[in-house]
PDB file of all heavy atoms in Angstrom:
ATOM      1  N   LYS Y 172    -122.629 -35.333  74.212  1.00 90.00           N
ATOM      2  CA  LYS Y 172    -123.589 -34.485  73.537  1.00 90.00           C
ATOM      3  C   LYS Y 172    -123.160 -32.998  73.443  1.00 90.00           C
ATOM      4  O   LYS Y 172    -123.677 -32.275  72.597  1.00 90.00           O
ATOM      5  CB  LYS Y 172    -124.960 -34.534  74.231  1.00 90.00           C
ATOM      6  CG  LYS Y 172    -125.672 -35.857  74.096  1.00 90.00           C
ATOM      7  CD  LYS Y 172    -127.092 -35.746  74.711  1.00 90.00           C
ATOM      8  CE  LYS Y 172    -127.866 -37.022  74.472  1.00 90.00           C
ATOM      9  NZ  LYS Y 172    -129.248 -36.923  74.949  1.00 90.00           N
ATOM     10  N   GLY Y 173    -122.209 -32.598  74.269  1.00 96.00           N
ATOM     11  CA  GLY Y 173    -121.875 -31.186  74.289  1.00 96.00           C
ATOM     12  C   GLY Y 173    -120.993 -30.749  73.128  1.00 96.00           C
ATOM     13  O   GLY Y 173    -120.729 -31.530  72.194  1.00 96.00           O
ATOM     14  N   GLY Y 174    -120.540 -29.494  73.142  1.00 97.00           N
ATOM     15  CA  GLY Y 174    -119.790 -28.944  72.047  1.00 97.00           C
ATOM     16  C   GLY Y 174    -119.777 -27.430  72.080  1.00 97.00           C
ATOM     17  O   GLY Y 174    -119.769 -26.834  73.173  1.00 97.00           O
ATOM     18  N   VAL Y 175    -119.750 -26.793  70.910  1.00 98.00           N
ATOM     19  CA  VAL Y 175    -119.692 -25.370  70.826  1.00 98.00           C
ATOM     20  C   VAL Y 175    -120.954 -24.864  70.151  1.00 98.00           C
ATOM     21  O   VAL Y 175    -121.525 -25.438  69.265  1.00 98.00           O
ATOM     22  CB  VAL Y 175    -118.466 -24.853  70.031  1.00 98.00           C
ATOM     23  CG1 VAL Y 175    -117.163 -25.294  70.740  1.00 98.00           C
ATOM     24  CG2 VAL Y 175    -118.453 -25.370  68.603  1.00 98.00           C
ATOM     25  N   THR Y 176    -121.415 -23.709  70.627  1.00 98.00           N
ATOM     26  CA  THR Y 176    -122.563 -22.975  70.079  1.00 98.00           C
ATOM     27  C   THR Y 176    -122.127 -21.516  69.790  1.00 98.00           C
ATOM     28  O   THR Y 176    -121.435 -20.922  70.592  1.00 98.00           O
ATOM     29  CB  THR Y 176    -123.723 -22.978  71.031  1.00 98.00           C
ATOM     30  OG1 THR Y 176    -124.177 -24.320  71.270  1.00 98.00           O
ATOM     31  CG2 THR Y 176    -124.900 -22.117  70.510  1.00 98.00           C
ATOM     32  N   VAL Y 177    -122.546 -21.033  68.657  1.00 98.00           N
ATOM     33  CA  VAL Y 177    -122.392 -19.579  68.397  1.00 98.00           C
ATOM     34  C   VAL Y 177    -123.761 -18.946  68.425  1.00 98.00           C
ATOM     35  O   VAL Y 177    -124.721 -19.453  67.812  1.00 98.00           O
ATOM     36  CB  VAL Y 177    -121.685 -19.264  67.057  1.00 98.00           C
ATOM     37  CG1 VAL Y 177    -120.216 -19.597  67.134  1.00 98.00           C
ATOM     38  CG2 VAL Y 177    -122.340 -19.975  65.889  1.00 98.00           C
ATOM     39  N   SER Y 178    -123.896 -17.849  69.189  1.00 97.00           N
ATOM     40  CA  SER Y 178    -125.124 -17.143  69.352  1.00 97.00           C
ATOM     41  C   SER Y 178    -124.815 -15.645  69.105  1.00 97.00           C
ATOM     42  O   SER Y 178    -123.871 -15.324  68.463  1.00 97.00           O
ATOM     43  CB  SER Y 178    -125.678 -17.426  70.776  1.00 97.00           C
ATOM     44  OG  SER Y 178    -126.977 -16.847  70.923  1.00 97.00           O
ATOM     45  N   GLY Y 179    -125.709 -14.792  69.619  1.00 91.00           N
ATOM     46  CA  GLY Y 179    -125.457 -13.372  69.337  1.00 91.00           C
ATOM     47  C   GLY Y 179    -126.123 -12.471  70.301  1.00 91.00           C
ATOM     48  O   GLY Y 179    -126.435 -12.871  71.446  1.00 91.00           O
ATOM     49  N   GLY Y 180    -126.400 -11.240  69.800  1.00 93.00           N
ATOM     50  CA  GLY Y 180    -126.230 -10.809  68.421  1.00 93.00           C
ATOM     51  C   GLY Y 180    -126.780 -11.795  67.354  1.00 93.00           C
ATOM     52  O   GLY Y 180    -127.516 -12.686  67.646  1.00 93.00           O
ATOM     53  N   GLU Y 181    -126.363 -11.557  66.145  1.00 97.00           N
ATOM     54  CA  GLU Y 181    -126.705 -12.421  65.024  1.00 97.00           C
ATOM     55  C   GLU Y 181    -125.424 -12.937  64.348  1.00 97.00           C
ATOM     56  O   GLU Y 181    -124.778 -12.223  63.627  1.00 97.00           O
ATOM     57  CB  GLU Y 181    -127.598 -11.685  63.991  1.00 97.00           C
ATOM     58  CG  GLU Y 181    -127.866 -12.472  62.743  1.00 97.00           C
ATOM     59  CD  GLU Y 181    -128.278 -13.907  63.043  1.00 97.00           C
ATOM     60  OE1 GLU Y 181    -129.321 -14.126  63.725  1.00 97.00           O
ATOM     61  OE2 GLU Y 181    -127.554 -14.856  62.605  1.00 97.00           O
ATOM     62  N   PRO Y 182    -125.077 -14.190  64.625  1.00 98.00           N
ATOM     63  CA  PRO Y 182    -123.805 -14.722  64.144  1.00 98.00           C
ATOM     64  C   PRO Y 182    -123.696 -14.830  62.633  1.00 98.00           C
ATOM     65  O   PRO Y 182    -122.558 -14.741  62.100  1.00 98.00           O
ATOM     66  CB  PRO Y 182    -123.723 -16.090  64.767  1.00 98.00           C
ATOM     67  CG  PRO Y 182    -125.095 -16.427  65.257  1.00 98.00           C
ATOM     68  CD  PRO Y 182    -125.762 -15.156  65.526  1.00 98.00           C
ATOM     69  N   LEU Y 183    -124.807 -14.919  61.932  1.00 98.00           N
ATOM     70  CA  LEU Y 183    -124.727 -14.990  60.447  1.00 98.00           C
ATOM     71  C   LEU Y 183    -124.204 -13.743  59.793  1.00 98.00           C
ATOM     72  O   LEU Y 183    -123.841 -13.759  58.621  1.00 98.00           O
ATOM     73  CB  LEU Y 183    -126.079 -15.377  59.848  1.00 98.00           C
ATOM     74  CG  LEU Y 183    -126.529 -16.844  60.040  1.00 98.00           C
ATOM     75  CD1 LEU Y 183    -127.892 -17.062  59.431  1.00 98.00           C
ATOM     76  CD2 LEU Y 183    -125.533 -17.802  59.416  1.00 98.00           C
ATOM     77  N   LEU Y 184    -124.157 -12.639  60.542  1.00 98.00           N
ATOM     78  CA  LEU Y 184    -123.547 -11.414  59.998  1.00 98.00           C
ATOM     79  C   LEU Y 184    -122.042 -11.578  59.896  1.00 98.00           C
ATOM     80  O   LEU Y 184    -121.363 -10.781  59.243  1.00 98.00           O
ATOM     81  CB  LEU Y 184    -123.860 -10.221  60.911  1.00 98.00           C
ATOM     82  CG  LEU Y 184    -125.350  -9.808  60.933  1.00 98.00           C
ATOM     83  CD1 LEU Y 184    -125.522  -8.618  61.895  1.00 98.00           C
ATOM     84  CD2 LEU Y 184    -125.853  -9.427  59.531  1.00 98.00           C
ATOM     85  N   GLN Y 185    -121.493 -12.609  60.509  1.00 98.00           N
ATOM     86  CA  GLN Y 185    -120.051 -12.922  60.443  1.00 98.00           C
ATOM     87  C   GLN Y 185    -119.855 -14.333  59.855  1.00 98.00           C
ATOM     88  O   GLN Y 185    -119.125 -15.143  60.405  1.00 98.00           O
ATOM     89  CB  GLN Y 185    -119.419 -12.795  61.814  1.00 98.00           C
ATOM     90  CG  GLN Y 185    -119.607 -11.406  62.448  1.00 98.00           C
ATOM     91  CD  GLN Y 185    -118.765 -11.214  63.700  1.00 98.00           C
ATOM     92  OE1 GLN Y 185    -117.550 -11.345  63.699  1.00 98.00           O
ATOM     93  NE2 GLN Y 185    -119.456 -10.949  64.810  1.00 98.00           N
ATOM     94  N   ILE Y 186    -120.498 -14.603  58.745  1.00 98.00           N
ATOM     95  CA  ILE Y 186    -120.570 -15.955  58.250  1.00 98.00           C
ATOM     96  C   ILE Y 186    -119.210 -16.501  57.855  1.00 98.00           C
ATOM     97  O   ILE Y 186    -118.930 -17.703  58.030  1.00 98.00           O
ATOM     98  CB  ILE Y 186    -121.594 -16.049  57.096  1.00 98.00           C
ATOM     99  CG1 ILE Y 186    -121.878 -17.517  56.721  1.00 98.00           C
ATOM    100  CG2 ILE Y 186    -121.120 -15.247  55.851  1.00 98.00           C
ATOM    101  CD1 ILE Y 186    -123.062 -17.696  55.805  1.00 98.00           C
ATOM    102  N   ASP Y 187    -118.326 -15.690  57.318  1.00 98.00           N
ATOM    103  CA  ASP Y 187    -117.015 -16.187  56.959  1.00 98.00           C
ATOM    104  C   ASP Y 187    -116.226 -16.691  58.187  1.00 98.00           C
ATOM    105  O   ASP Y 187    -115.521 -17.716  58.104  1.00 98.00           O
ATOM    106  CB  ASP Y 187    -116.177 -15.107  56.218  1.00 98.00           C
ATOM    107  CG  ASP Y 187    -116.749 -14.802  54.832  1.00 98.00           C
ATOM    108  OD1 ASP Y 187    -117.464 -15.659  54.287  1.00 98.00           O
ATOM    109  OD2 ASP Y 187    -116.527 -13.684  54.338  1.00 98.00           O
ATOM    110  N   PHE Y 188    -116.359 -15.981  59.262  1.00 98.00           N
ATOM    111  CA  PHE Y 188    -115.755 -16.408  60.531  1.00 98.00           C
ATOM    112  C   PHE Y 188    -116.352 -17.700  61.015  1.00 98.00           C
ATOM    113  O   PHE Y 188    -115.641 -18.641  61.467  1.00 98.00           O
ATOM    114  CB  PHE Y 188    -115.889 -15.314  61.575  1.00 98.00           C
ATOM    115  CG  PHE Y 188    -115.327 -15.697  62.931  1.00 98.00           C
ATOM    116  CD1 PHE Y 188    -113.954 -15.601  63.167  1.00 98.00           C
ATOM    117  CD2 PHE Y 188    -116.160 -16.188  63.919  1.00 98.00           C
ATOM    118  CE1 PHE Y 188    -113.442 -15.953  64.414  1.00 98.00           C
ATOM    119  CE2 PHE Y 188    -115.649 -16.533  65.158  1.00 98.00           C
ATOM    120  CZ  PHE Y 188    -114.294 -16.428  65.403  1.00 98.00           C
ATOM    121  N   LEU Y 189    -117.684 -17.832  60.912  1.00 98.00           N
ATOM    122  CA  LEU Y 189    -118.376 -19.039  61.359  1.00 98.00           C
ATOM    123  C   LEU Y 189    -117.891 -20.221  60.575  1.00 98.00           C
ATOM    124  O   LEU Y 189    -117.715 -21.332  61.170  1.00 98.00           O
ATOM    125  CB  LEU Y 189    -119.884 -18.901  61.189  1.00 98.00           C
ATOM    126  CG  LEU Y 189    -120.617 -17.862  62.007  1.00 98.00           C
ATOM    127  CD1 LEU Y 189    -122.137 -18.117  61.924  1.00 98.00           C
ATOM    128  CD2 LEU Y 189    -120.142 -17.821  63.442  1.00 98.00           C
ATOM    129  N   ILE Y 190    -117.723 -20.083  59.287  1.00 98.00           N
ATOM    130  CA  ILE Y 190    -117.281 -21.205  58.458  1.00 98.00           C
ATOM    131  C   ILE Y 190    -115.884 -21.681  58.956  1.00 98.00           C
ATOM    132  O   ILE Y 190    -115.696 -22.916  59.133  1.00 98.00           O
ATOM    133  CB  ILE Y 190    -117.227 -20.802  56.959  1.00 98.00           C
ATOM    134  CG1 ILE Y 190    -118.640 -20.586  56.411  1.00 98.00           C
ATOM    135  CG2 ILE Y 190    -116.455 -21.829  56.152  1.00 98.00           C
ATOM    136  CD1 ILE Y 190    -118.691 -19.974  55.045  1.00 98.00           C
ATOM    137  N   GLU Y 191    -115.024 -20.762  59.154  1.00 98.00           N
ATOM    138  CA  GLU Y 191    -113.658 -21.161  59.651  1.00 98.00           C
ATOM    139  C   GLU Y 191    -113.761 -21.817  61.020  1.00 98.00           C
ATOM    140  O   GLU Y 191    -113.105 -22.849  61.248  1.00 98.00           O
ATOM    141  CB  GLU Y 191    -112.761 -19.910  59.732  1.00 98.00           C
ATOM    142  CG  GLU Y 191    -112.287 -19.431  58.361  1.00 98.00           C
ATOM    143  CD  GLU Y 191    -111.193 -18.360  58.524  1.00 98.00           C
ATOM    144  OE1 GLU Y 191    -110.441 -18.375  59.492  1.00 98.00           O
ATOM    145  OE2 GLU Y 191    -111.104 -17.499  57.607  1.00 98.00           O
ATOM    146  N   TYR Y 192    -114.521 -21.253  61.890  1.00 98.00           N
ATOM    147  CA  TYR Y 192    -114.676 -21.775  63.273  1.00 98.00           C
ATOM    148  C   TYR Y 192    -115.248 -23.157  63.273  1.00 98.00           C
ATOM    149  O   TYR Y 192    -114.714 -24.080  63.921  1.00 98.00           O
ATOM    150  CB  TYR Y 192    -115.508 -20.795  64.077  1.00 98.00           C
ATOM    151  CG  TYR Y 192    -115.706 -21.143  65.549  1.00 98.00           C
ATOM    152  CD1 TYR Y 192    -114.624 -21.426  66.346  1.00 98.00           C
ATOM    153  CD2 TYR Y 192    -116.974 -21.142  66.091  1.00 98.00           C
ATOM    154  CE1 TYR Y 192    -114.785 -21.718  67.711  1.00 98.00           C
ATOM    155  CE2 TYR Y 192    -117.156 -21.466  67.428  1.00 98.00           C
ATOM    156  CZ  TYR Y 192    -116.045 -21.743  68.228  1.00 98.00           C
ATOM    157  OH  TYR Y 192    -116.248 -22.040  69.561  1.00 98.00           O
ATOM    158  N   PHE Y 193    -116.378 -23.334  62.571  1.00 98.00           N
ATOM    159  CA  PHE Y 193    -117.033 -24.652  62.568  1.00 98.00           C
ATOM    160  C   PHE Y 193    -116.190 -25.705  61.828  1.00 98.00           C
ATOM    161  O   PHE Y 193    -116.190 -26.866  62.190  1.00 98.00           O
ATOM    162  CB  PHE Y 193    -118.403 -24.564  61.956  1.00 98.00           C
ATOM    163  CG  PHE Y 193    -119.463 -24.081  62.944  1.00 98.00           C
ATOM    164  CD1 PHE Y 193    -119.149 -23.624  64.201  1.00 98.00           C
ATOM    165  CD2 PHE Y 193    -120.822 -24.076  62.545  1.00 98.00           C
ATOM    166  CE1 PHE Y 193    -120.125 -23.207  65.110  1.00 98.00           C
ATOM    167  CE2 PHE Y 193    -121.805 -23.666  63.476  1.00 98.00           C
ATOM    168  CZ  PHE Y 193    -121.446 -23.225  64.742  1.00 98.00           C
ATOM    169  N   LYS Y 194    -115.501 -25.271  60.772  1.00 98.00           N
ATOM    170  CA  LYS Y 194    -114.654 -26.231  60.025  1.00 98.00           C
ATOM    171  C   LYS Y 194    -113.541 -26.742  60.974  1.00 98.00           C
ATOM    172  O   LYS Y 194    -113.254 -27.953  61.003  1.00 98.00           O
ATOM    173  CB  LYS Y 194    -114.045 -25.535  58.823  1.00 98.00           C
ATOM    174  CG  LYS Y 194    -113.196 -26.483  57.971  1.00 98.00           C
ATOM    175  CD  LYS Y 194    -112.654 -25.767  56.716  1.00 98.00           C
ATOM    176  CE  LYS Y 194    -111.823 -26.756  55.864  1.00 98.00           C
ATOM    177  NZ  LYS Y 194    -111.294 -26.057  54.647  1.00 98.00           N
ATOM    178  N   LEU Y 195    -112.898 -25.850  61.696  1.00 98.00           N
ATOM    179  CA  LEU Y 195    -111.854 -26.254  62.635  1.00 98.00           C
ATOM    180  C   LEU Y 195    -112.459 -27.142  63.744  1.00 98.00           C
ATOM    181  O   LEU Y 195    -111.854 -28.133  64.159  1.00 98.00           O
ATOM    182  CB  LEU Y 195    -111.198 -25.048  63.271  1.00 98.00           C
ATOM    183  CG  LEU Y 195    -110.262 -24.236  62.414  1.00 98.00           C
ATOM    184  CD1 LEU Y 195    -109.865 -22.923  63.107  1.00 98.00           C
ATOM    185  CD2 LEU Y 195    -109.058 -25.015  61.986  1.00 98.00           C
TER     186      LEU Y 195
END
């Protein structure tokens, strides 16, 4: 069930980075 979580701050302010991170 585990994995990675992005939190903040507000992570959507860095949406391009999130896309790359989650895609990988």
Side-chain angles (χ1 to χ4, degrees):
K172 290 187 176 183
V175 298
T176 296
V177 288
S178 186
E181 174 45 62
L183 285 178
L184 294 178
Q185 302 189 59
I186 192 167
D187 291 337
F188 177 82
L189 296 193
I190 291 170
E191 286 190 28
Y192 182 52
F193 277 8
K194 183 178 181 180
L195 288 172

